[in-house]
Amino acid sequence: MEREPVAPSLAQLHVQRNRARQAKWSAEPTADALGQFGLLFEAPAPPVVEPIVEVAAAETRSVAPVPGPVTASVEVAPEVVRVAERAGVLPERTRDDAPWTVGELVGTLRGRLENHGTVWVVGEICNFRPAQSGHVYFTLKDGAAQVGAVLFRRQAAMLRWQPGDGAAVLLRGRLSVFEGRGQLQLIAEMLEPRGAGALQVQFEQLKAKLRDEGLFDAERKRALPAFPRRVGVVTSVQGAVIRDIVTVCRRRHGCMNLLVYPAAVQGTGAAVEIAAGIRYFNRVAEGGQPSQVVDLIVLARGGGSAEDLAAFNEEALARTIAASHLPVVSAVGHETDFTIADFVADLRAATPSAAAEMITESQHRVEERLQALESRLYRAVRFQQMSARQRFTRLATAGVLQRTQDGIERRQQRVDMLSERLERASIDVRRQAADRLRRLDARLQRQDVRAQLQHARTVLRSRVDRLEKLGAGLTVRSKHRLESASARLGALSPLAVLDRGYALAFTEGGAIVRSAEQLTAGERIVTRFASGSAVARVEEIRSREERGKDGA
């Protein structure tokens, strides 16, 4: 029965088009910047026939390829066909033929890929997992796709650098398929570092930016309340994280309430939902219902890869945490996982369970102390009862029954008294514990860094005001002294005399004329006034007596 022809698929048409284009290329192609020749199609080199033949052995049967072109016909046995299929020579099977098994299909695909040869791939490492066997497993990815890779122990020992998550590398290796999972993987033969990956670079840049802005400073970190009544938890309600937190809090502090804000903790939009949860609890704390007001916020998520935790590395979420009026505890991932939210939050917990233990630590200590005291009291009462029973058994004669009854009554009274004393002692112990707790809290308040900083700012502001006042006084006094000296200097200045109508006479040599006897008739002199000067000639010289006579 003939089958109807089946239309080729899109992938088959793509392969046929590539083979048609390949006929125009050179006989020995080289790898380009975008891909490797022969990955989805065969290289255009002339084909070489490598028939599969059986090779006889002592008591075994194996198959091996015969190199070089062969022109003779070879009859291939059925069991050899299967090996040929694994080697990449695949006869087309129709519906009437035997169908593929999963193992045959995956094994055949593996054979075709491994015959492809060496490939060079550039990408970023994530999910880096060294195994105890010495092999190294990781994922190579870029912005469009990802593929698993393995570096076996021998090649890993030859590395001269330590790869890790976020590293950009150039990988040389072979394509293969892990048959146990049917998963495509790269078998790495060489790794060269290419600097930090894109996600790691973004992480470090954002970390440096927020550190420079002071969002990581210890001064802005707030202490957690010692006995929180309600705690807001922003996490996914589908995972095991919230169950772990509830279990720990119920065991250590059964009176504390947990309010959960459901939010996605992975994928697109997760950071927006987490930030919305933080803003919700802050908005309720400012003017919401008292039953919904929380004392602190916990951001919780289980472990995962760097991509899974990417939502907690968003800048918008970091700024929302920094702007929160409530203390924020970051409990994201495992001990080795660090996110931007860990650095900005008021407290980082290694795991969500560790965060639950931190917020219930003070209450748990008080309860442990009370339980220890209660246990001691119970053991003391039991010891007294056992001692009384032992003494009672020693008094078995009839003559002492009355005295025994009297002793029992007295001891009952003593038990009542001891019970009262025990009750008062228990109350005193609890009161002392509460007083000690208040004193410790007062000491913590006195040692609060914010109060010390406020006092230091006040002292600094007072001293700056004093310096400004002293500087202003010195400036005024210096100005007065300068004005007084200027006035005295102006009074003694010859220019001031000229302003009153007097003039100075100089010889042509520049010497000042102090007496008429210094001049001769016909000599030229320079007369200087308050503004300007004049050149004159001496016509006549008169003595002081002659001027007196003329005046008479």
Side-chain angles (χ1 to χ4, degrees):
M1 177 178 178
E2 295 184 357
R3 297 182 56 194
E4 296 180 358
V6 180
S9 64
L10 182 61
Q12 292 173 344
L13 293 175
H14 181 66
V15 171
Q16 294 175 5
R17 184 189 64 180
N18 289 335
R19 287 179 176 174
R21 290 180 178 177
Q22 192 178 10
K24 302 179 182 180
W25 296 347
S26 60
E28 295 182 2
T30 57
D32 60 4
L34 299 177
Q36 308 288 336
F37 285 111
L39 180 60
L40 298 176
F41 48 86
E42 298 177 354
V48 177
V49 180
E50 295 185 357
I52 307 300
V53 298
E54 294 184 358
V55 179
E59 295 182 355
T60 61
R61 294 169 58 90
S62 62
V63 292
V66 178
V70 178
T71 57
S73 61
V74 179
E75 183 178 359
V76 182
E79 61 269 18
V80 180
V81 175
R82 185 169 300 172
V83 179
E85 293 170 350
R86 290 181 178 271
V89 183
L90 297 175
E92 182 179 358
R93 294 188 179 185
T94 64
R95 183 175 182 180
D96 297 333
D97 297 331
W100 293 97
T101 65
V102 176
E104 289 176 346
L105 181 62
V106 176
T108 302
L109 180 59
R110 176 181 177 183
R112 289 187 61 86
L113 290 175
E114 289 182 350
N115 286 339
H116 168 66
T118 302
V119 294
W120 295 82
V121 185
V122 174
E124 180 181 343
I125 291 178
C126 65
N127 298 330
F128 188 80
R129 305 181 306 278
Q132 294 182 354
S133 60
H135 307 327
V136 177
Y137 301 92
F138 58 93
T139 301
L140 199 64
K141 67 178 184 65
D142 59 11
Q146 63 181 13
V147 62
V150 57
L151 185 69
F152 290 120
R153 177 175 54 196
R154 181 178 178 182
Q155 286 75 18
M158 298 172 62
L159 290 180
R160 297 184 179 180
W161 64 290
Q162 181 61 42
D165 288 340
V169 297
L170 173 63
L171 180 147
R172 185 193 70 193
R174 297 177 290 107
L175 282 170
S176 182
V177 175
F178 180 49
E179 295 181 348
R181 297 180 181 175
Q183 179 180 355
L184 177 68
Q185 68 177 2
L186 285 168
I187 300 178
E189 298 175 353
M190 184 272 292
L191 279 179
E192 291 182 0
R194 291 297 186 190
L199 291 179
Q200 188 67 22
V201 169
Q202 294 176 4
F203 177 84
E204 296 297 337
Q205 290 177 349
L206 179 57
K207 180 180 176 182
K209 175 183 177 181
L210 298 181
R211 183 192 297 112
D212 295 340
E213 294 181 9
L215 267 65
F216 299 169
D217 294 345
E219 290 77 8
R220 61 168 298 277
K221 306 289 185 180
R222 290 159 294 191
L224 301 183
F227 300 98
R229 294 174 298 176
R230 298 183 190 87
V231 176
V233 182
V234 182
T235 186
S236 172
V237 295
Q238 305 298 330
V241 171
I242 187 62
R243 291 196 296 271
D244 294 341
I245 294 176
V246 170
T247 301
V248 174
C249 292
R250 183 178 298 170
R251 172 169 50 85
R252 295 168 60 92
H253 190 356
C255 298
M256 187 177 67
N257 295 327
L258 296 177
L259 300 181
V260 180
Y261 185 93
V265 293
Q266 178 180 341
T268 305
V272 176
E273 295 187 20
I274 297 170
I278 298 174
R279 289 191 292 268
Y280 168 78
F281 285 121
N282 280 271
R283 185 169 61 253
V284 171
E286 292 177 357
Q289 299 179 0
S291 60
Q292 301 294 324
V293 176
V294 299
D295 299 315
L296 58 95
I297 303 173
V298 177
L299 308 181
R301 190 207 186 282
S305 63
E307 291 76 13
D308 297 337
L309 306 180
F312 295 88
N313 292 325
E314 295 287 343
E315 180 178 0
L317 177 59
R319 296 193 181 280
T320 303
I321 296 174
S324 174
H325 300 296
L326 298 173
V328 178
V329 179
S330 176
V332 180
H334 299 303
E335 180 66 30
T336 57
D337 297 328
F338 286 91
T339 63
I340 296 297
D342 294 335
F343 297 104
V344 181
D346 298 288
L347 181 66
R348 175 190 179 265
T351 61
S353 299
E357 293 177 355
M358 289 179 180
I359 63 180
T360 58
E361 182 177 2
S362 299
Q363 179 69 23
H364 185 63
R365 288 182 179 179
V366 172
E367 292 180 355
E368 285 183 342
R369 177 63 176 169
L370 293 176
Q371 290 176 359
L373 293 175
E374 183 180 0
S375 178
R376 288 178 58 186
L377 290 174
Y378 178 77
R379 288 195 300 270
V381 171
R382 291 286 298 173
F383 177 76
Q384 294 293 336
Q385 291 177 349
M386 292 175 62
S387 300
R389 289 194 184 99
Q390 290 175 359
R391 289 193 299 269
F392 179 75
T393 55
R394 289 195 297 266
L395 301 175
T397 60
V400 295
L401 290 178
Q402 184 61 39
R403 286 178 295 177
T404 301
Q405 184 66 30
D406 295 339
I408 291 174
E409 293 176 353
R410 288 194 301 271
R411 283 170 174 77
Q412 286 178 346
Q413 293 179 353
R414 182 170 178 81
V415 168
D416 294 338
M417 181 184 66
L418 290 175
S419 299
E420 294 177 358
R421 290 178 59 185
L422 286 175
E423 185 177 358
R424 289 195 299 270
S426 176
I427 295 174
D428 292 340
V429 168
R430 294 177 182 174
R431 184 184 300 111
Q432 292 174 3
D435 293 341
R436 186 168 181 271
L437 184 61
R438 283 194 295 270
R439 290 195 300 270
L440 290 176
D441 184 65
R443 288 177 60 187
L444 287 175
Q445 293 295 334
R446 290 195 298 271
Q447 295 177 0
D448 190 1
V449 176
R450 292 176 294 181
Q452 295 179 3
L453 288 175
Q454 184 64 30
H455 177 70
R457 292 192 187 98
T458 303
V459 173
L460 179 61
R461 191 179 299 108
S462 175
R463 293 180 179 177
V464 169
D465 293 341
R466 289 181 57 190
L467 286 175
E468 290 178 352
K469 292 180 180 178
L470 291 174
L474 290 174
T475 303
V476 171
R477 288 196 295 271
S478 298
K479 183 177 181 181
H480 289 169
R481 291 175 59 189
L482 179 61
E483 292 176 352
S484 176
S486 298
R488 292 197 301 271
L489 183 62
L492 297 175
S493 174
L495 299 178
V497 177
L498 296 180
D499 290 336
R500 292 198 298 270
Y502 293 92
L504 296 176
F506 298 89
T507 64
E508 288 183 335
I512 190 169
V513 178
R514 300 180 183 276
S515 173
E517 297 175 354
Q518 295 180 235
L519 304 175
T520 58
E523 184 179 0
R524 296 178 65 183
I525 61 174
V526 179
T527 305
R528 181 176 178 180
F529 303 98
S531 60
S533 60
V535 179
R537 184 182 300 275
V538 179
E539 298 292 339
E540 182 182 1
I541 300 175
R542 297 179 182 179
S543 62
R544 182 177 299 175
E545 291 79 7
E546 292 176 350
R547 290 198 305 271
K549 291 178 181 180
D550 293 340

